[in-house]
Amino acid sequence: MRLKIIGSAAGGGFPQWNCNYRLSRRVWDGDPNLRARTQSSLAATANGNDWVLFNASPDIRQQIAFTPELQPQPGGPLRSTPIRAVVLTNADVDHIAGLLSLREREPFVIYATGRVLEVLASNSIFNVLDPEVVQRRELPLGKSTDILDACGKPVGMTIESFAVPGKVALFLEDRSKADEGFGTREGDTIGLRIASENGPAAFYIPGCARIDATLEDRLSGAECLLFDGTVYTDDEMITAGVGAKTGARMGHLHMAGEGGSLAALADLGIRKRIYVHINNTNPVLDAASPEHAAVIAAGWRVAFDGMEVRL
């Protein structure tokens, strides 16, 4: 199985369109130690021909332009795509807005939890993807699902979805329920185990608020993990002066220090560990920073657009 990280940044990308924070400023100025990154998305194939997207970012048009495997193939029909399905891990804008760019009556399938499918159904703008052309199929939590294309043909990939600690999408927050997770419900945030037939599996968890015992057990001994790398420290956005929210308030676990993902995942025997969904304030984006060096020394990689993993 091939995995291609086609978008490695958190919401807004890196740099965000209006961001003048020091890391973004250096990208605007062409610093070679920092790479521009588009918003979070993963592409995977088990056979080299049929591709599945995991989340559809607002940058999907640009991501397809930079990824020949996702483009209409030479000699193919006048209208075609190798993208057979899109699997959603939550209803965040940076994960669903790209669906609107995949209109034009091209058949593919959207897989998501019932909760996320409710969000799509309640927003009529997503009807530009005619349900008679673009099917919507529910992902049951805790069960394995064979990914099928719009014609019902298997693409050679099986996914298992499971709930992870997280938070309802920002635009769905109920502030009157702040003490109850702003109205967060089961199915708002999930992780995925992605596997090809008789092959090793990868775990994709671009959003996670904490690592509990259940998640530790699930990830123990995993071949590959792509995990939430939004912030390095919980108060990062506050100390940077660009926001008032902690990582925890946004539903994202920090990397460093006590209770961070670096420590929590250190002794689970995970062979390949990659941070994805990286916010524009995270110092690991700077390849020359001590934070980047600490992550590499701990056995992790920092995702960048175009990174490929083979299992």
Side-chain angles (χ1 to χ4, degrees):
M1 185 164 63
R2 292 172 60 198
L3 308 176
K4 294 202 73 169
I5 299 170
I6 60 173
S8 54
F14 177 63
Q16 289 182 348
W17 69 279
N18 65 340
C19 186
N20 212 24
Y21 179 60
R22 62 178 182 85
L23 295 175
S24 295
R25 183 68 261 163
R26 289 169 60 189
V27 178
W28 296 129
D29 293 339
D31 189 321
N33 282 318
L34 290 101
R35 302 174 186 242
R37 288 164 163 88
T38 60
Q39 295 171 83
S40 174
S41 187
L42 173 72
T45 182
N47 58 24
N49 298 310
D50 301 310
W51 287 83
V52 177
L53 296 184
F54 295 88
N55 296 321
S57 91
D59 300 320
I60 189 63
R61 172 63 181 79
Q62 179 182 348
Q63 292 164 345
I64 292 172
F66 289 164
T67 311
E69 296 95 330
L70 301 181
Q71 300 166 10
Q73 297 304 292
L78 295 179
R79 295 275 190 172
S80 63
T81 178
I83 298 170
R84 308 301 181 211
V86 177
V87 182
L88 303 175
T89 62
N90 61 24
D92 285 351
V93 168
D94 52 319
H95 287 163
I96 66 173
L99 292 172
L100 303 177
S101 295
L102 299 180
R103 60 193 187 276
E104 310 299 349
R105 300 187 65 81
E106 189 66 45
F108 65 94
V109 181
I110 298 171
Y111 285 89
T113 63
R115 171 65 165 151
V116 173
L117 290 179
E118 287 176 11
V119 175
L120 300 183
S122 66
N123 287 270
S124 60
I125 192 170
F126 289 102
N127 289 337
V128 297
L129 298 173
D130 186 342
E132 293 186 2
V133 178
V134 178
Q135 301 171 39
R136 302 177 186 183
R137 298 176 184 162
E138 184 172 351
L139 279 178
L141 291 174
K143 297 182 179 179
S144 293
T145 300
D146 291 331
I147 300 299
L148 310 178
D149 68 13
C151 296
K153 177 185 174 182
V155 302
M157 192 179 302
T158 299
I159 61 174
E160 179 186 352
S161 60
F162 50 92
V164 296
K167 188 185 71 62
V168 68
L170 176 63
F171 67 95
L172 296 173
E173 285 186 356
D174 184 344
R175 294 184 180 273
S176 70
K177 299 179 179 179
D179 294 336
E180 306 168 29
F182 297 92
T184 300
R185 289 160 41 187
E186 185 176 66
D188 278 324
T189 305
I190 63 171
L192 299 169
R193 180 183 185 273
I194 309 167
S196 58
E197 185 176 358
N198 299 321
F203 286 89
Y204 184 54
I205 311 175
C208 186
R210 67 182 183 278
I211 298 170
D212 55 22
T214 299
L215 186 56
E216 287 182 357
D217 289 343
R218 188 183 295 275
L219 297 179
S220 181
E223 172 70 15
C224 180
L225 170 64
L226 296 91
F227 191 77
D228 185 348
T230 306
V231 291
Y232 192 75
T233 56
D234 189 49
D235 63 350
E236 179 178 298
M237 290 182 62
I238 298 171
T239 58
V242 299
K245 294 180 180 178
T246 63
R249 170 63 179 84
M250 297 186 294
H252 296 288
L253 178 65
H254 56 283
M255 295 180 182
E258 184 177 355
S261 58
L262 280 171
L265 297 170
D267 299 323
L268 299 184
I270 302 169
R271 183 165 174 261
K272 297 177 181 178
R273 292 168 284 172
I274 303 168
Y275 277 123
V276 296
H277 197 275
I278 306 164
N279 196 57
N280 64 95
T281 54
N282 193 326
V284 302
L285 291 167
D286 180 358
S289 70
E291 293 87 356
H292 187 277
V295 166
I296 299 301
W300 287 78
R301 300 173 69 190
V302 177
F304 56 84
D305 291 16
M307 177 186 283
E308 182 165 334
V309 180
R310 290 179 179 261
L311 300 178

